[in-house]
Amino acid sequence: MIERARSAARRLVAHAVDSHTTIAVAESLTGGIVAATIVGVPGTSEVFRGGVVTYQTAVKGALLGVPAAVLDASGPVDPRVAAEMAERVRDLFTLSGEPAGVGLATTGVAGPASQDGHPVGEVYVAVATSGETRVEHLLLTGDRDEIRTQATAAVLELAATVVASRSSDTHVRE
């Protein structure tokens, strides 16, 4: 599974370099694994702006600016929270007036116990660009580490797909 994540990270970085797309990451249950996997790819410094781990619900609001109303309505394991995290991390990593080109986010329950009525393995991953936000709902199985690794692979695969479509759009315009 870790090789799946590494392969997706390599594709993401290649497409990001090709399309001049910068990357920012907001993580919860993955606790920095997504950022670490991206940083493991040679050439990442051209496109990776950075990441934050917003593990506690209150930090999602305080640091990223996820609205309290969204967090209060459903808690952190929710597609709207994942979308907000991905969208807002782009802004958090604004440089020279330019937000990051793509924001990635993970939120969910890695275990060992369910959380707020959400079962172990329920995860949302999101990828946001200036034009769209995609969220995927996952029901993963395995132990805590396996769930975190699967969530990492899923968000990196989704991001690679999104950035690849931006890369092909760039080539069409040239």
Side-chain angles (χ1 to χ4, degrees):
M1 187 57 61
I2 193 68
E3 188 47 44
R4 183 177 141 212
R6 288 180 182 144
S7 176
R10 287 190 296 271
R11 288 193 316 275
L12 170 60
V13 170
H15 293 309
V17 168
D18 191 41
S19 63
H20 307 287
T21 300
T22 55
I23 303 165
V25 176
E27 300 182 65
S28 187
L29 83 148
T30 49
I33 300 170
V34 175
T37 304
I38 293 170
V39 170
V41 178
T44 296
S45 60
E46 289 184 50
V47 294
F48 186 62
R49 288 199 177 164
V52 295
V53 176
T54 57
Y55 202 73
Q56 292 185 343
T57 302
V59 178
K60 290 170 180 61
L63 182 63
L64 291 175
V66 176
V70 172
L71 292 167
D72 292 344
S74 55
V77 184
D78 184 84
R80 292 170 297 172
V81 172
E84 290 279 351
M85 289 172 66
E87 292 164 3
R88 291 172 181 274
V89 77
R90 291 182 63 238
D91 292 331
L92 184 65
F93 283 92
T94 295
L95 292 176
S96 302
E98 274 299 310
V102 63
L104 286 63
T106 62
T107 189
V109 183
S114 63
Q115 176 184 333
D116 301 325
H118 298 279
V120 171
E122 183 171 6
V123 173
Y124 291 92
V125 297
V127 174
T129 66
S130 61
E132 72 174 317
T133 301
R134 292 190 199 178
V135 179
E136 289 185 358
H137 179 231
L138 309 169
L139 295 173
L140 305 173
T141 59
D143 66 23
R144 182 175 171 77
D145 288 339
E146 290 167 335
I147 289 168
R148 294 172 68 221
T149 301
Q150 290 172 65
T152 298
V155 76
L156 290 168
E157 288 170 345
L158 179 59
T161 298
V162 168
V163 175
S165 70
R166 292 172 57 95
S167 178
S168 63
D169 289 347
T170 301
H171 289 301
V172 169
R173 283 188 239 123
E174 292 179 342

